[in-house]
Every structure is written in C-alpha cells, then in structure tokens.
Amino acid sequence: MKIGITCYPTYGGSGAVATELGVILANRGHQVHFISYDQPFRLGHFHERIFFHEVEMEDYPLFEHPPYSLALAVAMHDTALKAGLDLLHVHYAIPHATSAWIAAEMLGSQRDLRIVTTLHGTDITLVGLHPSFRPITRFSILRSHGLTAVSEFLKGETVRDFDVPGERIEVIPNFIDTEVFRPGLEPCHRASLAPGGEKIVMHISNFRPVKRVEDVVSVFARIRNRVPARLVLVGDGPDRPRALMRAEELGVRDDVLFLGKHGSVHELLACADLFLLPSESESFGLAALEAMACGVPVVASRTGGIPEVVKDGETGYLAEVGDIGAMADAGVEILADEEWRREMGEAARSHAHAHFGADVVVPRYEDYYRRVIAEGPRA
Ligand code: GMT
C-alpha cells in the first residue's frame, strides 16, 4: 500500500507512535509518506520506502496565526496525487482530521483517498472538548473513513462526548518494539545516574499539568525516606519549575536529576528500577508501556486507559489520582524486595511483549487499512 502519515513531529506519544508505525510499515514493504511541518523526531536512518513531505508555509504580515491546517491540506492533496496514496492515516484529530477531509474534498473524483484518524488522548478528552473545537472535531472524525482509538477508555469517551457510534471506532492499542525497548541495554548509565548504588526511580513526560510531576517528586521523597534512591526526570515542559520547587521544599533536590529532553529514552529506561506515572488522565500511557518493555515495574494512577496497560499487582501497582501515600507505599514494596522487583519487571516485559508487541499490533493496522479501502466510499 501507499500510505500517507500525518502527526505532530515533535516530542509526544502520538508522534512517536505514528513514526514507529511508519517505519515498521515500510519494513513490511509498504511505501510511507510522512506529511508534516518537520521531520518526525524518531525518524532515524534513510529508508528507501520512506518519504518526507514538508508542509510549506508562507509568512504574511496579516497572519498573526498562520493557517497551518490549510497548508497541510494542500500538502496532503498534492502528496496524494503525486505519490498515488491509497490511504492517509492521521494521528491526533485536531487539526489533522479536518485537513485530511479538506484534502479529500479537493481531490474530488481525481482520487479516492481513504482517511483513517487515530484518536490519541487530549484531542478527545481535553482540547477537542473546547467549544471552539468540538463541532469541527466531531464533524471531521465522522467524515474519516476509519477511526481508531488507542484504548477502550478513549473509545468510550469519544462515544459519550462526541456522540460517535461505538461501532465506528476500532480499538488498536499503542505498541512497542521490544527489541529496542529491552532490559540490560549497554551502555547502561546506572553508575552516573546513581553513583552510590541507589535505586533509580524514573519519570518521562512532557511536564504538562496533566502529568502531575509535583506528585512524582512527592512520591519519590517518601520513597527515599525508606529506601536509598534517586529520581531521574526525563523530558521538559511547563511544569518543570514546579517540580524543581517541590524537590527543594521537600529537601530532596540533591537526589533529583533533571535530564531534559532525550532522544533515546530506551537507554535510560533500561537503567531504571521503578517508573512513576501519577497522571491526572492518560488515554493509554505509552511511557508506562516503554518502561514495562524494559522490565521496569510501574506505579501509576488508576485513571483513563492506564489499567488496560498496567496490570495492578502483576506488572506494577495502581492508586487513585493524587494518592501520594499509596503510590509511595507501592514503590517501597517494589524497591525494598529485589526478588519481587525482578519478578514484577519480568512480568511487565512479558505482558508488554505479548499484548503490545509491534508484531502483534501493526498487522492489526494493516488489516484495518485493507478493510477501510475495501469498504468503498462512505455515503
Ligand atoms: O493527547 C495528548 O496529550 C498528546 C498525546 C501525545 O501526542 O503525546 O498523548 C496521548 O497519546 C499517547 C499516545 O497514544 C498516549 O500514550 C497518552 O496517554 C495520551 N495522553 C493523554 O491522554 C494525556
């Protein structure tokens, strides 16, 4: 198949999933065309079946907010014609599903471009709900020929809040390359992250309020009172200063490492003993899956799609959002007993591999594409 992929190319789970999907599809013989304003950050080496089409934007004094959605629609339209795309798969509904619909309208009878939209999270649970976006988000996702959601939770939210018929949404979870994300990777940076042999507690995110990074620090501070440990924070975003302030308030600043954004998180995760994800809401929790694939138990909030990923008591522990005490107790239970920690880590990796391995999930996207293409035009 000739497949177009549009995503946010910067840091973020939806961009990471879209890029990885494109690379694996190309490895499986498909031709893949990324259409975005920048090269996706996880797109590594040259691949003969992967093409990148940059969205050209003309600056103009009238444009305080340049109309990216329109330029994107034109790039999608042009790529569909020149490359002969069979299908365009857009990740994150806003504005990608809308641009895709415009591109398909512009193509008219020149080309039957099938559109698949994958709903990732805040496009449905937060941003998309805003009155300035909800009507067009609903309109655009209903016009997509195929709709997927990364969890049952997100499907439910879409049905409830956007009045989309449940049978229109296929749940295809996020996936992980367990060859890349695996335990015991070299070089392991353990010695520099925890020079005193302390346990390594890790959190990776974009430090937005939804991630509750202050809770990460508070949970860590309680763990460190009972087990020698260091906290490694990877990523960056608006709440980084708050996390820093909380570490100072709680007197753990010297044991908290801020590494900033990092390109190869698998190397760091392979050094971790415990992963914390105390988010307010999370449609899936890709970071938790990445940790699990590296054999790292996860302590997370019982919210959104996380319980579909982290098996409470088997691959980690879940607690209510904001329950710092319960999360710290769970963390101590894991870290204080190395045998139990290892057992849980192994269960986490097996679970990640069996349920979310790329070999299991990517063929489901291929099957879905074939079904959408075979279905013919939507009335
Ligand atoms: O929806 C977002 O907040 C952005 C999005 C992203 O681009 O990182 O994250 C969502 O998609 C990820 C990939 O499917 C999921 O793993 C995240 O759980 C989800 N984030 C939220 O629901 C907050």
Side-chain angles (χ1 to χ4, degrees):
M1 280 178 269
K2 291 184 178 172
I3 303 158
I5 293 184
T6 288
C7 63
Y8 283 105
T10 49
Y11 281 73
S14 60
V17 169
T19 310
E20 191 62 20
L21 177 62
V23 171
I24 296 175
L25 288 169
N27 288 339
R28 291 169 71 90
H30 303 286
Q31 202 181 87
V32 175
H33 295 260
F34 285 99
I35 309 162
S36 191
Y37 58 84
D38 208 350
Q39 176 126 333
F41 73 98
R42 283 200 184 172
L43 197 58
H45 308 289
F46 169 78
H47 194 300
E48 58 180 354
R49 283 187 295 279
I50 295 182
F51 302 85
F52 170 60
H53 306 264
E54 186 172 340
V55 178
E56 305 279 351
M57 291 280 287
E58 182 70 30
D59 208 6
Y60 189 67
L62 271 183
F63 295 158
E64 201 181 337
H65 305 287
Y68 173 69
S69 316
L70 301 183
L72 175 61
V74 171
M76 288 168 162
H77 166 268
D78 291 356
T79 308
L81 276 183
K82 285 185 197 134
L85 296 184
D86 299 304
L87 180 136
L88 179 59
H89 186 176
V90 302
H91 293 258
Y92 204 89
I94 308 168
H96 302 149
T98 311
S99 300
W101 175 73
I102 296 172
E105 286 292 300
M106 287 166 71
L107 285 165
S109 58
Q110 291 177 92
R111 182 150 206 101
D112 177 23
L113 180 66
R114 316 263 85 199
I115 298 164
V116 170
T117 297
T118 288
L119 310 170
H120 276 275
T122 52
D123 45 353
I124 292 301
T125 59
L126 197 70
V127 194
L129 281 178
H130 192 275
S132 60
F133 287 124
R134 189 185 173 278
I136 198 157
T137 304
R138 179 171 188 274
F139 171 84
S140 311
I141 60 182
L142 282 171
R143 292 302 167 111
S144 296
H145 305 95
L147 267 182
T148 79
V150 297
S151 61
E152 291 290 344
F153 159 78
L154 191 59
K155 173 178 173 175
E157 297 288 288
T158 313
V159 170
R160 191 192 68 194
D161 294 339
F162 287 83
D163 198 18
V164 172
E167 62 274 15
R168 293 254 356 243
I169 307 172
E170 180 94 356
V171 174
I172 303 183
N174 287 331
F175 58 88
I176 191 83
D177 183 341
T178 50
E179 285 301 305
V180 175
F181 286 82
R182 59 188 166 89
L185 265 190
E186 293 297 338
C188 182
H189 310 292
R190 242 201 123 82
S192 52
L193 298 176
E198 301 93 339
K199 296 290 185 190
I200 296 176
V201 180
M202 199 170 281
H203 171 77
I204 302 176
S205 77
N206 44 26
F207 288 61
R208 286 175 303 162
V210 74
K211 302 290 175 183
R212 297 180 70 101
V213 278
E214 287 167 279
D215 283 9
V216 172
V217 177
S218 300
V219 170
F220 167 72
R222 291 197 190 196
I223 291 176
R224 204 211 56 163
N225 281 341
R226 288 143 76 187
V227 179
R230 302 200 88 202
L231 175 63
V232 178
L233 295 170
V234 186
D236 206 349
D239 277 357
R240 182 179 157 138
R242 285 171 176 275
L244 181 63
M245 219 189 305
R246 179 62 59 91
E248 272 161 9
E249 279 163 18
L250 298 176
V252 292
R253 178 66 189 90
D254 289 347
D255 285 319
V256 179
L257 254 73
F258 286 88
L259 296 188
K261 289 180 182 174
H262 207 280
S264 39
V265 290
H266 56 282
E267 283 179 20
L268 294 167
L269 278 170
C271 306
D273 296 301
L274 175 70
F275 191 82
L276 296 179
L277 192 66
S279 306
E280 181 78 35
S281 147
E282 202 71 67
S283 69
F284 183 89
L286 183 64
L289 177 60
E290 291 177 342
M292 284 164 55
C294 291
V296 183
V298 175
V299 169
S301 314
R302 187 179 290 109
T303 185
I306 293 180
E308 296 173 46
V309 182
V310 179
K311 294 286 130 200
D312 194 14
E314 284 173 42
T315 70
Y317 288 113
L318 301 178
E320 297 314 310
V321 174
D323 193 342
I324 288 161
M327 291 189 196
D329 288 347
V332 169
E333 189 177 323
I334 294 168
L335 293 176
D337 180 349
E338 182 52 26
E339 204 174 314
W340 177 225
R341 196 200 72 76
R342 206 183 296 272
E343 215 174 284
M344 237 186 187
E346 278 165 15
R349 177 159 170 85
S350 302
H351 188 72
H353 186 70
H355 295 270
F356 305 105
D359 294 354
V360 177
V361 177
V362 173
R364 290 182 57 190
Y365 273 117
E366 282 174 310
D367 289 348
Y368 190 63
Y369 293 166
R370 288 193 191 99
R371 266 158 52 202
V372 166
I373 289 171
E375 257 169 20
R378 175 162 287 281

